[in-house]
Amino acid sequence: MKYWVWILGLYSPLILAAEHKLAGIIDVRASYTNGITSYVDGGLGKFRFNPDGQVSLAQAGVSYTVDWDNPLSAHVVANAYWDGVEDNIGITEAYLKYKGLPWDNGLRLGGKLGIIYPEISMENIATAWSSPYTLTYSGINSWLGEEVRHIGAQISVDYLGKFHDSRHDFTLSGEFFKNNDTTGAMLAWHGWTSSSRQTLWQETLPLSDLPSLDGGELGSQAKESDPFLELDDRIGYHVKTQWRMQGLGRLEVGYYDNDADTRVVIEGQYAWLTQFVHIGTKWRLPYNIELIAQYMKGDTLMKSPDGRNIVDNGYDSAFILLSHRWQKHRLSARFEDFSVTDNDLTFDDDNSEEGQAMTVSYSYQLKKGWFVQAEYNRIDSLRPARAEQGFPEDLVEQQWQLASRYYF
């Protein structure tokens, strides 16, 4: 007992000297969806919400930061949902962050350690990984929010041009991580989606009722996927380089590889080897128009314990988002193209799909931190697996949403 009192006494000056910050978002929505059962509910629908209308707590997010009087800070992000599909509350991120002071030559070191997202998203830049542009994320960022997170360590080196009278900055970062071995399973079995939900760290995700998952080659697959599971004790990596022009925009390129051992399966959870390259740009255009464009291309592979390819998919997705903000108004439009290519010969397990998506979103600021936002989403996709459940292979799904969003 005395030992713990001594430890607390030693660190109490650090705790008291720290600056504590609390920020959050409360997002209440009325929505109407014209489609089929949501992928969140084990269906093959592309949207987060089930068909017909509902009122929901789409997101209650809290971000808590402890910032010490040094380059180190601690961050915890929690989210809660009450949406009639999967009501839950839990942690989505928790990490230590280091941001050093620049040296005389303009170099600066930074890093993160903990439960983190790979630094890919250009949309989800607001509190609790929300987006200030649209209510629903692009297909790329919907997948990141669902499956692509992990326990990892990241280190970055910035070159700051202002130390050399230049507007050009450069960043090189490397990340090493674990707890991501099943990444790719949901992209394979329900495809690209348009969502506004991040998987909580403790959650598992239901797989759709497909014939291939009920016997045969895939009969031993668990009925739910655990997206943040460590199975093979191997370390994945993500590298990225970024160029920024101060006041105008940036361009970045990265490569992600979870380095999973596809021979490993434990209690119905398979290790998926998932790799992709991503390219993105964010640019300020004339007339106060913001341009965001991202492209992702990769593949994911799952094998049987004896080494046969069971699921072998290539995938790609791209979007362009234009957003114009004036006075208390913001108007955003996003256009997407996506596909999954099924390269394996597993019977009755066609994961292929292709499609396009469109989003138009308008928000108005009532007062500081409080916005009302209306949005229309449309996805036109071709997915043969839907025929196994009695739905059309070629399907148009639409969604209308009206939200009250409060940031504090």
Side-chain angles (χ1 to χ4, degrees):
M1 180 66 180
K2 292 181 180 180
Y3 174 79
W4 287 108
V5 172
W6 181 81
I7 290 291
L8 290 173
L10 179 65
Y11 282 96
S12 58
L14 294 176
I15 296 172
L16 294 175
E19 181 181 357
H20 301 263
K21 301 176 184 177
L22 188 68
I25 175 177
I26 299 174
D27 182 341
V28 178
R29 296 186 202 176
S31 61
Y32 180 83
T33 303
N34 181 5
I36 60 177
T37 302
S38 168
Y39 74 94
V40 180
D41 203 19
L44 292 176
K46 294 297 186 185
F47 292 122
R48 167 186 177 180
F49 300 112
N50 276 325
D52 298 327
Q54 63 179 309
V55 176
S56 64
L57 177 62
Q59 182 180 15
V62 175
S63 175
Y64 173 64
T65 300
V66 180
D67 198 347
W68 290 281
D69 190 19
N70 57 39
L72 194 65
S73 59
H75 305 255
V76 178
V77 180
N79 278 286
Y81 309 104
W82 186 71
D83 54 17
V85 179
E86 185 63 33
D87 306 334
N88 215 333
I89 182 171
I91 298 294
T92 48
E93 297 179 83
Y95 57 90
L96 292 173
K97 182 177 181 180
Y98 175 85
K99 187 176 183 179
L101 295 174
W103 300 331
D104 292 340
N105 60 5
L107 294 179
R108 180 177 63 193
L109 290 178
K112 289 182 180 180
L113 175 66
I115 301 172
I116 54 179
Y117 279 102
E119 292 187 352
I120 298 174
S121 179
M122 292 184 168
E123 288 182 299
N124 297 63
I125 58 174
T127 303
W129 213 72
S130 62
S131 169
Y133 305 104
T134 59
L135 297 176
T136 54
Y137 316 149
S138 64
I140 290 174
N141 290 290
S142 295
W143 183 47
L144 295 178
E146 184 181 29
E147 279 197 298
V148 191
R149 212 173 327 146
H150 41 244
I151 293 176
Q154 181 223 58
I155 186 168
S156 62
V157 180
D158 292 318
Y159 173 84
L160 304 177
K162 65 181 180 180
F163 284 78
H164 304 277
D165 296 322
S166 171
R167 295 178 64 184
H168 303 278
D169 298 337
F170 299 90
T171 299
L172 179 64
S173 64
E175 188 175 348
F176 301 93
F177 49 78
K178 300 182 71 172
N179 292 81
N180 63 330
D181 288 334
T182 64
T183 299
M186 303 310 294
L187 183 58
W189 284 321
H190 66 47
W192 296 99
T193 64
S194 188
S195 182
S196 55
R197 193 183 193 283
Q198 306 166 58
T199 302
L200 307 176
W201 188 254
Q202 79 278 8
E203 283 187 308
T204 57
L205 305 172
L207 302 181
S208 193
D209 185 17
L210 297 170
S212 59
L213 299 175
D214 188 21
E217 297 279 12
L218 293 167
S220 57
Q221 165 68 44
K223 299 304 180 185
E224 294 188 332
S225 178
D226 187 338
F228 312 124
L229 196 61
E230 181 55 42
L231 296 170
D232 59 10
D233 294 323
R234 292 169 65 165
I235 296 175
Y237 65 93
H238 173 230
V239 293
K240 188 181 79 170
T241 183
Q242 182 188 95
W243 163 67
R244 299 183 300 278
M245 190 170 182
Q246 290 296 331
L248 284 179
R250 70 182 195 260
L251 173 68
E252 59 186 43
V253 179
Y255 178 74
Y256 178 102
D257 186 341
N258 73 348
D259 194 34
D261 183 351
T262 54
R263 298 169 299 177
V264 176
V265 54
I266 299 175
E267 296 182 354
Q269 300 288 343
Y270 287 76
W272 294 63
L273 177 61
T274 299
Q275 306 159 320
F276 59 81
V277 62
H278 61 93
I279 302 170
T281 188
K282 193 170 189 177
W283 211 256
R284 190 172 299 280
L285 303 179
Y287 305 106
N288 201 29
I289 295 175
E290 194 170 0
L291 165 70
I292 303 175
Q294 287 193 270
Y295 173 70
M296 176 184 287
K297 182 177 179 62
D299 51 74
T300 186
L301 174 66
M302 185 262 266
K303 294 185 176 183
S304 64
D306 60 4
R308 290 174 294 111
N309 289 3
I310 303 300
V311 181
D312 181 3
N313 292 334
Y315 54 88
D316 66 86
S317 183
F319 75 85
I320 295 177
L321 184 150
L322 294 169
S323 184
H324 176 48
R325 186 176 181 181
W326 72 103
Q327 298 176 351
K328 297 183 177 182
H329 311 267
R330 182 190 286 275
L331 179 64
S332 301
R334 185 178 61 227
F335 305 93
E336 303 178 62
D337 187 87
F338 57 86
S339 70
V340 176
T341 303
D342 191 320
N343 297 314
D344 60 74
L345 300 176
T346 301
F347 177 72
D348 219 9
D349 185 48
D350 189 350
N351 305 130
S352 62
E353 75 170 12
E354 57 180 285
Q356 294 78 39
M358 178 186 71
T359 294
V360 179
S361 193
Y362 167 77
S363 70
Y364 178 80
Q365 184 175 355
L366 295 173
K367 57 183 180 180
K368 183 179 179 181
W370 189 10
F371 301 83
V372 291
Q373 191 160 350
E375 183 168 298
Y376 170 70
N377 313 106
R378 184 181 190 273
I379 301 178
D380 184 353
S381 63
L382 175 66
R383 187 173 182 89
R386 281 196 289 252
E388 302 284 358
Q389 298 180 354
F391 298 111
E393 294 185 13
D394 194 349
L395 182 65
V396 174
E397 297 173 89
Q398 300 180 85
Q399 182 173 252
W400 296 262
Q401 299 179 89
L402 179 63
S404 171
R405 310 176 89 191
Y406 181 67
Y407 287 92
F408 60 88

mmCIF file of all heavy atoms in Angstrom, residues 208-242:
data_model
loop_
_atom_site.group_PDB
_atom_site.id
_atom_site.type_symbol
_atom_site.label_atom_id
_atom_site.label_comp_id
_atom_site.label_asym_id
_atom_site.label_seq_id
_atom_site.Cartn_x
_atom_site.Cartn_y
_atom_site.Cartn_z
ATOM 1 N N SER A 208 -22.701 -12.026 -43.393
ATOM 2 C CA SER A 208 -23.990 -12.243 -44.027
ATOM 3 C C SER A 208 -24.257 -13.739 -44.183
ATOM 4 O O SER A 208 -23.340 -14.567 -44.202
ATOM 5 C CB SER A 208 -24.026 -11.549 -45.390
ATOM 6 O OG SER A 208 -25.340 -11.499 -45.888
ATOM 7 N N ASP A 209 -25.534 -14.077 -44.316
ATOM 8 C CA ASP A 209 -25.955 -15.480 -44.463
ATOM 9 C C ASP A 209 -25.754 -15.911 -45.906
ATOM 10 O O ASP A 209 -26.676 -15.888 -46.722
ATOM 11 C CB ASP A 209 -27.419 -15.611 -44.041
ATOM 12 C CG ASP A 209 -27.884 -17.055 -44.061
ATOM 13 O OD1 ASP A 209 -27.016 -17.947 -44.071
ATOM 14 O OD2 ASP A 209 -29.113 -17.282 -44.082
ATOM 15 N N LEU A 210 -24.513 -16.309 -46.224
ATOM 16 C CA LEU A 210 -24.163 -16.721 -47.577
ATOM 17 C C LEU A 210 -23.968 -18.231 -47.624
ATOM 18 O O LEU A 210 -23.454 -18.826 -46.670
ATOM 19 C CB LEU A 210 -22.878 -16.018 -48.025
ATOM 20 C CG LEU A 210 -22.945 -14.488 -48.115
ATOM 21 C CD1 LEU A 210 -21.561 -13.902 -48.315
ATOM 22 C CD2 LEU A 210 -23.879 -14.074 -49.261
ATOM 23 N N PRO A 211 -24.353 -18.874 -48.716
ATOM 24 C CA PRO A 211 -24.194 -20.339 -48.819
ATOM 25 C C PRO A 211 -22.757 -20.795 -48.614
ATOM 26 O O PRO A 211 -22.516 -21.853 -48.024
ATOM 27 C CB PRO A 211 -24.668 -20.628 -50.250
ATOM 28 C CG PRO A 211 -25.578 -19.508 -50.587
ATOM 29 C CD PRO A 211 -25.030 -18.310 -49.891
ATOM 30 N N SER A 212 -21.793 -20.012 -49.062
ATOM 31 C CA SER A 212 -20.390 -20.418 -48.952
ATOM 32 C C SER A 212 -19.929 -20.496 -47.504
ATOM 33 O O SER A 212 -18.948 -21.187 -47.196
ATOM 34 C CB SER A 212 -19.507 -19.440 -49.720
ATOM 35 O OG SER A 212 -19.655 -18.125 -49.213
ATOM 36 N N LEU A 213 -20.609 -19.775 -46.597
ATOM 37 C CA LEU A 213 -20.221 -19.770 -45.185
ATOM 38 C C LEU A 213 -20.977 -20.819 -44.375
ATOM 39 O O LEU A 213 -20.864 -20.854 -43.158
ATOM 40 C CB LEU A 213 -20.460 -18.379 -44.584
ATOM 41 C CG LEU A 213 -19.669 -17.240 -45.236
ATOM 42 C CD1 LEU A 213 -20.075 -15.895 -44.655
ATOM 43 C CD2 LEU A 213 -18.177 -17.454 -45.065
ATOM 44 N N ASP A 214 -21.742 -21.639 -45.060
ATOM 45 C CA ASP A 214 -22.543 -22.657 -44.384
ATOM 46 C C ASP A 214 -22.152 -24.040 -44.909
ATOM 47 O O ASP A 214 -22.920 -24.736 -45.557
ATOM 48 C CB ASP A 214 -24.033 -22.395 -44.618
ATOM 49 C CG ASP A 214 -24.913 -23.307 -43.775
ATOM 50 O OD1 ASP A 214 -24.409 -23.831 -42.753
ATOM 51 O OD2 ASP A 214 -26.080 -23.493 -44.145
ATOM 52 N N GLY A 215 -20.883 -24.410 -44.623
ATOM 53 C CA GLY A 215 -20.379 -25.694 -45.091
ATOM 54 C C GLY A 215 -19.327 -25.518 -46.160
ATOM 55 O O GLY A 215 -18.998 -24.407 -46.575
ATOM 56 N N GLY A 216 -18.776 -26.610 -46.638
ATOM 57 C CA GLY A 216 -17.771 -26.569 -47.696
ATOM 58 C C GLY A 216 -16.457 -25.983 -47.217
ATOM 59 O O GLY A 216 -16.070 -26.104 -46.049
ATOM 60 N N GLU A 217 -15.752 -25.308 -48.145
ATOM 61 C CA GLU A 217 -14.426 -24.770 -47.866
ATOM 62 C C GLU A 217 -14.424 -23.771 -46.706
ATOM 63 O O GLU A 217 -13.459 -23.653 -45.966
ATOM 64 C CB GLU A 217 -13.873 -24.080 -49.116
ATOM 65 C CG GLU A 217 -13.666 -25.002 -50.294
ATOM 66 C CD GLU A 217 -12.377 -25.783 -50.200
ATOM 67 O OE1 GLU A 217 -11.756 -25.773 -49.133
ATOM 68 O OE2 GLU A 217 -12.005 -26.410 -51.208
ATOM 69 N N LEU A 218 -15.526 -23.009 -46.564
ATOM 70 C CA LEU A 218 -15.577 -21.941 -45.571
ATOM 71 C C LEU A 218 -16.456 -22.287 -44.381
ATOM 72 O O LEU A 218 -16.804 -21.409 -43.595
ATOM 73 C CB LEU A 218 -16.088 -20.652 -46.236
ATOM 74 C CG LEU A 218 -15.148 -20.055 -47.283
ATOM 75 C CD1 LEU A 218 -15.862 -18.998 -48.104
ATOM 76 C CD2 LEU A 218 -13.930 -19.459 -46.609
ATOM 77 N N GLY A 219 -16.793 -23.553 -44.237
ATOM 78 C CA GLY A 219 -17.707 -23.957 -43.175
ATOM 79 C C GLY A 219 -17.181 -23.735 -41.772
ATOM 80 O O GLY A 219 -17.954 -23.579 -40.827
ATOM 81 N N SER A 220 -15.855 -23.683 -41.599
ATOM 82 C CA SER A 220 -15.292 -23.496 -40.270
ATOM 83 C C SER A 220 -15.080 -22.032 -39.905
ATOM 84 O O SER A 220 -14.638 -21.718 -38.799
ATOM 85 C CB SER A 220 -13.956 -24.236 -40.144
ATOM 86 O OG SER A 220 -13.048 -23.801 -41.137
ATOM 87 N N GLN A 221 -15.403 -21.118 -40.835
ATOM 88 C CA GLN A 221 -15.309 -19.689 -40.540
ATOM 89 C C GLN A 221 -16.343 -19.318 -39.473
ATOM 90 O O GLN A 221 -17.501 -19.699 -39.542
ATOM 91 C CB GLN A 221 -15.556 -18.864 -41.803
ATOM 92 C CG GLN A 221 -15.840 -17.383 -41.574
ATOM 93 C CD GLN A 221 -14.656 -16.615 -41.043
ATOM 94 O OE1 GLN A 221 -13.540 -16.781 -41.513
ATOM 95 N NE2 GLN A 221 -14.890 -15.760 -40.061
ATOM 96 N N ALA A 222 -15.905 -18.548 -38.465
ATOM 97 C CA ALA A 222 -16.821 -18.084 -37.426
ATOM 98 C C ALA A 222 -17.906 -17.208 -38.041
ATOM 99 O O ALA A 222 -17.704 -16.574 -39.082
ATOM 100 C CB ALA A 222 -16.040 -17.304 -36.365
ATOM 101 N N LYS A 223 -19.066 -17.163 -37.412
ATOM 102 C CA LYS A 223 -20.192 -16.397 -37.939
ATOM 103 C C LYS A 223 -20.009 -14.893 -37.758
ATOM 104 O O LYS A 223 -20.757 -14.103 -38.338
ATOM 105 C CB LYS A 223 -21.496 -16.840 -37.281
ATOM 106 C CG LYS A 223 -21.827 -18.308 -37.541
ATOM 107 C CD LYS A 223 -21.869 -18.621 -39.040
ATOM 108 C CE LYS A 223 -22.204 -20.080 -39.308
ATOM 109 N NZ LYS A 223 -22.134 -20.408 -40.759
ATOM 110 N N GLU A 224 -19.049 -14.495 -36.925
ATOM 111 C CA GLU A 224 -18.720 -13.086 -36.753
ATOM 112 C C GLU A 224 -17.212 -12.916 -36.883
ATOM 113 O O GLU A 224 -16.447 -13.794 -36.468
ATOM 114 C CB GLU A 224 -19.199 -12.556 -35.402
ATOM 115 C CG GLU A 224 -20.720 -12.539 -35.260
ATOM 116 C CD GLU A 224 -21.162 -11.823 -33.996
ATOM 117 O OE1 GLU A 224 -20.378 -11.820 -33.015
ATOM 118 O OE2 GLU A 224 -22.265 -11.262 -33.985
ATOM 119 N N SER A 225 -16.796 -11.790 -37.452
ATOM 120 C CA SER A 225 -15.372 -11.506 -37.611
ATOM 121 C C SER A 225 -14.922 -10.563 -36.499
ATOM 122 O O SER A 225 -15.610 -9.589 -36.175
ATOM 123 C CB SER A 225 -15.102 -10.864 -38.973
ATOM 124 O OG SER A 225 -13.741 -10.537 -39.127
ATOM 125 N N ASP A 226 -13.771 -10.876 -35.905
ATOM 126 C CA ASP A 226 -13.175 -9.998 -34.902
ATOM 127 C C ASP A 226 -12.104 -9.168 -35.607
ATOM 128 O O ASP A 226 -11.021 -9.671 -35.915
ATOM 129 C CB ASP A 226 -12.549 -10.838 -33.781
ATOM 130 C CG ASP A 226 -12.054 -9.994 -32.619
ATOM 131 O OD1 ASP A 226 -11.799 -8.792 -32.835
ATOM 132 O OD2 ASP A 226 -11.915 -10.521 -31.509
ATOM 133 N N PRO A 227 -12.368 -7.889 -35.883
ATOM 134 C CA PRO A 227 -11.478 -7.131 -36.771
ATOM 135 C C PRO A 227 -10.140 -6.741 -36.170
ATOM 136 O O PRO A 227 -9.227 -6.363 -36.900
ATOM 137 C CB PRO A 227 -12.302 -5.882 -37.107
ATOM 138 C CG PRO A 227 -13.205 -5.707 -35.940
ATOM 139 C CD PRO A 227 -13.542 -7.095 -35.470
ATOM 140 N N PHE A 228 -10.006 -6.816 -34.847
ATOM 141 C CA PHE A 228 -8.772 -6.347 -34.219
ATOM 142 C C PHE A 228 -8.088 -7.474 -33.461
ATOM 143 O O PHE A 228 -7.582 -7.309 -32.352
ATOM 144 C CB PHE A 228 -9.070 -5.161 -33.299
ATOM 145 C CG PHE A 228 -9.924 -4.108 -33.953
ATOM 146 C CD1 PHE A 228 -11.116 -3.696 -33.373
ATOM 147 C CD2 PHE A 228 -9.553 -3.553 -35.166
ATOM 148 C CE1 PHE A 228 -11.904 -2.737 -33.987
ATOM 149 C CE2 PHE A 228 -10.345 -2.600 -35.787
ATOM 150 C CZ PHE A 228 -11.522 -2.180 -35.193
ATOM 151 N N LEU A 229 -8.059 -8.632 -34.087
ATOM 152 C CA LEU A 229 -7.538 -9.841 -33.460
ATOM 153 C C LEU A 229 -6.087 -10.075 -33.869
ATOM 154 O O LEU A 229 -5.698 -9.808 -35.001
ATOM 155 C CB LEU A 229 -8.393 -11.029 -33.899
ATOM 156 C CG LEU A 229 -8.305 -12.326 -33.107
ATOM 157 C CD1 LEU A 229 -8.737 -12.116 -31.662
ATOM 158 C CD2 LEU A 229 -9.176 -13.389 -33.766
ATOM 159 N N GLU A 230 -5.289 -10.580 -32.935
ATOM 160 C CA GLU A 230 -3.918 -10.988 -33.245
ATOM 161 C C GLU A 230 -3.853 -12.509 -33.251
ATOM 162 O O GLU A 230 -4.177 -13.161 -32.260
ATOM 163 C CB GLU A 230 -2.934 -10.422 -32.207
ATOM 164 C CG GLU A 230 -1.484 -10.776 -32.472
ATOM 165 C CD GLU A 230 -1.030 -10.355 -33.882
ATOM 166 O OE1 GLU A 230 -1.385 -9.235 -34.329
ATOM 167 O OE2 GLU A 230 -0.344 -11.161 -34.532
ATOM 168 N N LEU A 231 -3.447 -13.089 -34.378
ATOM 169 C CA LEU A 231 -3.445 -14.538 -34.546
ATOM 170 C C LEU A 231 -2.057 -15.122 -34.758
ATOM 171 O O LEU A 231 -1.791 -16.253 -34.322
ATOM 172 C CB LEU A 231 -4.325 -14.923 -35.748
ATOM 173 C CG LEU A 231 -5.815 -14.605 -35.645
ATOM 174 C CD1 LEU A 231 -6.482 -14.813 -36.998
ATOM 175 C CD2 LEU A 231 -6.478 -15.453 -34.580
ATOM 176 N N ASP A 232 -1.175 -14.406 -35.436
ATOM 177 C CA ASP A 232 0.076 -15.029 -35.875
ATOM 178 C C ASP A 232 1.339 -14.429 -35.260
ATOM 179 O O ASP A 232 2.452 -14.857 -35.588
ATOM 180 C CB ASP A 232 0.181 -14.958 -37.404
ATOM 181 C CG ASP A 232 0.140 -13.518 -37.926
ATOM 182 O OD1 ASP A 232 0.213 -12.572 -37.113
ATOM 183 O OD2 ASP A 232 0.049 -13.335 -39.150
ATOM 184 N N ASP A 233 1.195 -13.421 -34.395
ATOM 185 C CA ASP A 233 2.344 -12.770 -33.741
ATOM 186 C C ASP A 233 3.335 -12.184 -34.749
ATOM 187 O O ASP A 233 4.530 -12.069 -34.456
ATOM 188 C CB ASP A 233 3.060 -13.736 -32.801
ATOM 189 C CG ASP A 233 2.203 -14.137 -31.609
ATOM 190 O OD1 ASP A 233 1.464 -13.263 -31.124
ATOM 191 O OD2 ASP A 233 2.249 -15.304 -31.202
ATOM 192 N N ARG A 234 2.845 -11.803 -35.920
ATOM 193 C CA ARG A 234 3.680 -11.120 -36.898
ATOM 194 C C ARG A 234 3.338 -9.636 -36.929
ATOM 195 O O ARG A 234 2.224 -9.240 -36.585
ATOM 196 C CB ARG A 234 3.510 -11.754 -38.279
ATOM 197 C CG ARG A 234 4.085 -13.160 -38.341
ATOM 198 C CD ARG A 234 3.713 -13.923 -39.589
ATOM 199 N NE ARG A 234 4.269 -13.335 -40.803
ATOM 200 C CZ ARG A 234 4.322 -13.997 -41.970
ATOM 201 N NH1 ARG A 234 3.865 -15.247 -42.056
ATOM 202 N NH2 ARG A 234 4.822 -13.434 -43.031
ATOM 203 N N ILE A 235 4.297 -8.835 -37.332
ATOM 204 C CA ILE A 235 4.153 -7.388 -37.284
ATOM 205 C C ILE A 235 3.947 -6.839 -38.693
ATOM 206 O O ILE A 235 4.721 -7.113 -39.611
ATOM 207 C CB ILE A 235 5.390 -6.739 -36.641
ATOM 208 C CG1 ILE A 235 5.512 -7.187 -35.177
ATOM 209 C CG2 ILE A 235 5.307 -5.207 -36.711
ATOM 210 C CD1 ILE A 235 6.762 -6.695 -34.494
ATOM 211 N N GLY A 236 2.876 -6.078 -38.867
ATOM 212 C CA GLY A 236 2.621 -5.414 -40.126
ATOM 213 C C GLY A 236 3.246 -4.029 -40.154
ATOM 214 O O GLY A 236 3.770 -3.536 -39.144
ATOM 215 N N TYR A 237 3.160 -3.369 -41.304
ATOM 216 C CA TYR A 237 3.771 -2.049 -41.412
ATOM 217 C C TYR A 237 3.002 -1.172 -42.388
ATOM 218 O O TYR A 237 2.281 -1.644 -43.271
ATOM 219 C CB TYR A 237 5.236 -2.159 -41.853
ATOM 220 C CG TYR A 237 5.443 -2.723 -43.239
ATOM 221 C CD1 TYR A 237 5.558 -1.888 -44.342
ATOM 222 C CD2 TYR A 237 5.512 -4.100 -43.452
ATOM 223 C CE1 TYR A 237 5.749 -2.396 -45.617
ATOM 224 C CE2 TYR A 237 5.697 -4.623 -44.725
ATOM 225 C CZ TYR A 237 5.819 -3.757 -45.805
ATOM 226 O OH TYR A 237 5.988 -4.270 -47.061
ATOM 227 N N HIS A 238 3.154 0.123 -42.192
ATOM 228 C CA HIS A 238 2.559 1.136 -43.066
ATOM 229 C C HIS A 238 3.570 2.267 -43.209
ATOM 230 O O HIS A 238 4.039 2.805 -42.211
ATOM 231 C CB HIS A 238 1.249 1.663 -42.454
ATOM 232 C CG HIS A 238 0.651 2.812 -43.199
ATOM 233 N ND1 HIS A 238 0.250 3.983 -42.588
ATOM 234 C CD2 HIS A 238 0.372 2.981 -44.523
ATOM 235 C CE1 HIS A 238 -0.254 4.815 -43.479
ATOM 236 N NE2 HIS A 238 -0.192 4.225 -44.666
ATOM 237 N N VAL A 239 3.917 2.593 -44.442
ATOM 238 C CA VAL A 239 4.846 3.698 -44.704
ATOM 239 C C VAL A 239 4.133 4.739 -45.560
ATOM 240 O O VAL A 239 3.292 4.404 -46.404
ATOM 241 C CB VAL A 239 6.134 3.217 -45.405
ATOM 242 C CG1 VAL A 239 6.944 2.342 -44.472
ATOM 243 C CG2 VAL A 239 5.819 2.460 -46.693
ATOM 244 N N LYS A 240 4.468 6.012 -45.317
ATOM 245 C CA LYS A 240 3.805 7.094 -46.053
ATOM 246 C C LYS A 240 4.747 8.275 -46.205
ATOM 247 O O LYS A 240 5.527 8.582 -45.299
ATOM 248 C CB LYS A 240 2.541 7.544 -45.318
ATOM 249 C CG LYS A 240 1.683 8.540 -46.091
ATOM 250 C CD LYS A 240 0.464 8.962 -45.298
ATOM 251 C CE LYS A 240 0.803 10.002 -44.262
ATOM 252 N NZ LYS A 240 -0.397 10.600 -43.636
ATOM 253 N N THR A 241 4.658 8.931 -47.346
ATOM 254 C CA THR A 241 5.374 10.182 -47.557
ATOM 255 C C THR A 241 4.376 11.251 -47.961
ATOM 256 O O THR A 241 3.386 10.969 -48.646
ATOM 257 C CB THR A 241 6.478 10.023 -48.635
ATOM 258 O OG1 THR A 241 7.192 11.257 -48.762
ATOM 259 C CG2 THR A 241 5.883 9.643 -49.976
ATOM 260 N N GLN A 242 4.638 12.475 -47.525
ATOM 261 C CA GLN A 242 3.695 13.570 -47.766
ATOM 262 C C GLN A 242 4.456 14.841 -48.130
ATOM 263 O O GLN A 242 5.486 15.138 -47.536
ATOM 264 C CB GLN A 242 2.850 13.816 -46.524
ATOM 265 C CG GLN A 242 1.803 14.904 -46.668
ATOM 266 C CD GLN A 242 1.124 15.240 -45.357
ATOM 267 O OE1 GLN A 242 1.516 16.172 -44.657
ATOM 268 N NE2 GLN A 242 0.098 14.463 -44.999
#
